[in-house]
Amino acid sequence: MKNIAVIGAGTMGNGIAHTFAQSGFQVQLIDISEASLSRGVATIAKNLDRMIVKEKISEAEKTKILANINTHTSIDNGVKNVDLVVEAATENVDLKLNIFKQLDEACDENTILATNTSSISITQIAAVTSRPDQVIGMHFMNPVPIMKLVEIIRGYNTTDDVTHTIMELSKALGKVPVEVNDYPGFVANRILMPMINESIETLYNDVAGVQEIDTVMMLGMAHPMGPLQLADFIGLDVCLSILNVMYDGFKYPKYAPCPLLVNMVRAGKLGVKSGEGFYDYSESRKAEKVSKQFK
């Protein structure tokens, strides 16, 4: 397995492409937007420069890694003769189902189809293909080049051979794969998102402010980052999407998104990506601006 296609050049997609290319794989990075591809490759180059400064790689190694990445705006062209496709598009069910229908038609019959989804059912995605036994979840953590965990999610029909292949491939990337079963949120987000949602409820109910909540969790629970700041980095729209998937899947009230989260997303306060969420990133300073504004 040496030729890998990655669908989506955003934060997760370019991170996955970076990781495979750095491990010596040929990577076909695919996105419908040339601008997105250019930004994705520029991000990879910038992250490699940081590694040079830290003396983790050389300038020659950077050149070699970038040479391992080819870009495409067409799925049909990008997935020719690849062994594995990793889809890392926006966390939207309809979009992913459409992509997998295209991949099923365009890929060789032996190509494994993986999705980086953080919450959507692998079984549901696999059902739109003619190869549900070859569809699997590879949920990388952000930032991909640094974080060791990969959740490997088996769909209802995913074979043992495909699971074993992806587990071993993840190890070859220097990651630690953990096999889990296909239920909403899997393990990481089934535990993380209710905690983030409860943190937002705590703010919404005026129990404490943004910095106070995050400080309690960092100093009292040894979390490296507070849950509200983490939500900003994940993207509040992504958090909302995952919670909605979990609520739809389980129908438990505890997964229902907090009204404050819903209103912030409606107002375009999405976290780091928009410049403001629970903290103000436009001025590079932390500020409590949302505890009352969106009630």
Side-chain angles (χ1 to χ4, degrees):
M1 189 172 283
K2 280 295 179 182
N3 196 6
I4 311 297
V6 178
I7 309 292
T11 300
M12 295 305 295
N14 71 59
I16 294 167
H18 173 161
T19 301
F20 274 105
Q22 188 174 330
S23 297
F25 292 86
Q26 290 296 310
V27 178
Q28 314 305 319
L29 182 58
I30 304 167
D31 198 293
I32 59 173
S33 166
E34 283 281 6
S36 294
L37 288 168
S38 296
R39 286 194 298 270
V41 173
T43 298
I44 295 170
K46 185 177 180 181
N47 289 335
L48 291 172
D49 286 336
R50 291 195 183 102
M51 296 179 73
I52 292 172
V53 170
K54 295 178 181 179
E55 299 184 343
K56 293 185 176 181
I57 63 171
S58 66
E59 189 70 43
E61 287 173 313
K62 172 191 171 182
T63 300
K64 185 176 181 181
I65 292 166
L66 290 175
N68 286 338
I69 302 172
N70 300 296
T71 60
H72 307 268
T73 55
S74 165
I75 284 180
D76 289 347
N77 292 333
V79 301
K80 288 180 179 177
N81 303 314
V82 300
D83 304 300
L84 168 70
V85 180
V86 182
E87 172 273 318
T90 303
E91 193 74 351
N92 177 282
V93 174
D94 293 335
L95 175 63
K96 290 184 185 294
L97 295 182
N98 183 53
I99 289 173
F100 271 78
K101 288 177 184 177
Q102 294 180 61
L103 291 175
D104 189 44
E105 294 178 1
C107 292
D108 294 340
E109 62 179 12
N110 294 322
T111 302
I112 295 173
L113 306 182
T115 173
N116 182 58
T117 181
S118 56
S119 60
I120 298 168
S121 168
I122 308 304
T123 304
Q124 180 182 6
I125 292 172
V128 302
T129 76
S130 63
R131 62 184 88 191
D133 56 324
Q134 293 168 228
V135 178
I136 195 166
M138 288 186 80
H139 180 206
F140 290 86
M141 305 294 124
N142 185 33
V144 180
I146 296 172
M147 300 292 280
K148 290 293 187 181
L149 175 66
V150 184
E151 272 190 307
I152 306 300
I153 307 105
R154 296 183 63 140
Y156 188 83
N157 292 301
T158 309
T159 65
D160 291 340
D161 285 345
V162 167
T163 304
H164 175 75
T165 296
I166 299 304
M167 293 283 285
E168 292 304 309
L169 175 66
S170 300
K171 293 175 185 177
L173 296 174
K175 303 300 185 185
V176 178
V178 177
E179 181 183 337
V180 306
N181 290 319
D182 185 21
Y183 292 95
F186 316 132
V187 171
N189 281 321
R190 183 168 180 168
I191 295 170
L192 175 63
M193 285 302 153
M195 183 190 74
I196 286 176
N197 199 41
E198 190 62 32
S199 301
I200 299 171
E201 287 279 2
T202 301
L203 176 65
Y204 182 60
N205 291 323
D206 287 327
V207 177
V210 173
Q211 293 183 20
E212 288 77 10
I213 292 168
D214 278 354
T215 299
V216 167
M217 297 305 292
M218 288 188 290
L219 299 185
M221 315 308 169
H223 290 194
M225 182 183 293
L228 298 176
Q229 187 179 20
L230 177 57
D232 276 353
F233 275 84
I234 293 170
L236 302 190
D237 53 338
V238 176
C239 293
L240 178 60
S241 176
I242 294 170
L243 284 164
N244 281 331
V245 168
M246 294 173 66
Y247 182 65
D248 289 342
F250 290 118
K251 306 299 183 187
Y252 293 165
K254 70 177 180 179
Y255 298 119
C258 176
L260 174 58
L261 174 61
V262 174
N263 276 344
M264 289 179 70
V265 172
R266 287 173 177 166
K269 310 297 184 182
L270 308 181
V272 174
K273 70 175 77 175
S274 69
E276 184 179 351
F278 293 104
Y279 295 93
D280 185 347
Y281 302 93
S282 62
E283 300 176 7
S284 301
R285 63 182 176 83
K286 298 178 179 179
E288 293 180 35
K289 288 188 173 182
V290 297
S291 59
K292 296 180 180 179
Q293 181 180 355
F294 297 98
K295 284 189 177 181

